[in-house]
Amino acid sequence: HSTGERSISMISGLRRDTVCIEIRNSIGMMVESAWFSSFINLLIIVNSIILCTFDPNDPDAYANQFIDKSEWFFQIAFTIEAILWISYLGFKKYIRDGWHLFDFVIVVIGWVSLSAVNNVSLNTLRIVRILRFLRLLRGFPGM
């Protein structure tokens, strides 16, 4: 490579790094904003209410059918949230925070329960996801 080619390669590498830093900073501003936190809290509340309507005695109950359909929306939303936080913080820093680790475990449990739709024992993992409601405690001092 000539000196000119190296300079151009270095400049485009710096631009790429700068763009990555700008994207990461933009993601950080978004996930740390009050509106994003409020939106996620709203999703948690709505998801928790819906999960509380589960009827273990009647698998064909309307509430259970609605849960089955709405689960995908909430699971994808919470997965996107985790991806955004991981993109901003990096995975190691993300899981060092107890609340983020808790979120990550709940997201993984959610995907496991969705992948085992006909398995009754794994279906009960859905109920564990209601623990996401505990995440609302994050907003209280000392929690």
Side-chain angles (χ1 to χ4, degrees):
H1 294 291
S2 71
T3 305
E5 288 175 351
R6 282 187 206 151
S7 296
I8 290 172
S9 175
M10 223 164 118
I11 290 170
S12 70
L14 288 173
R15 285 186 186 148
R16 185 176 46 236
D17 291 344
T18 302
V19 168
C20 288
I21 290 169
E22 288 176 14
I23 291 171
R24 184 178 235 173
N25 289 341
S26 295
I27 291 170
M29 287 174 46
M30 181 178 66
V31 297
E32 290 185 349
S33 70
W35 69 264
F36 186 83
S37 179
S38 296
F39 176 70
I40 295 299
N41 288 341
L42 177 64
L43 288 179
I44 290 169
I45 291 167
V46 172
N47 185 230
S48 297
I49 291 168
I50 290 171
L51 287 173
C52 285
T53 65
F54 180 72
D55 183 355
N57 299 319
D58 184 4
D60 296 325
Y62 175 77
N64 293 353
Q65 293 173 20
F66 184 74
I67 290 170
D68 289 341
K69 289 177 178 39
S70 68
E71 276 185 297
W72 285 97
F73 168 78
F74 290 107
Q75 187 61 33
I76 290 168
F78 294 128
T79 301
I80 291 170
E81 179 207 12
I83 290 169
L84 289 171
W85 275 106
I86 291 167
S87 298
Y88 171 53
L89 298 173
F91 188 71
K92 287 181 181 178
K93 190 172 180 183
Y94 173 78
I95 61 170
R96 277 190 217 134
D97 177 276
W99 286 112
H100 289 308
L101 178 60
F102 177 77
D103 289 343
F104 186 76
V105 168
I106 299 296
V107 166
V108 170
I109 287 172
W111 284 112
V112 169
S113 70
L114 284 174
S115 68
V117 173
N118 293 322
N119 186 323
V120 176
S121 64
L122 286 178
N123 251 353
T124 58
L125 290 176
R126 286 183 191 173
I127 304 306
V128 173
R129 290 189 2 231
I130 203 156
L131 294 174
R132 186 177 275 129
F133 194 77
L134 293 174
R135 197 176 111 186
L136 296 176
L137 297 176
R138 181 188 309 191
F140 295 102
M143 295 305 263

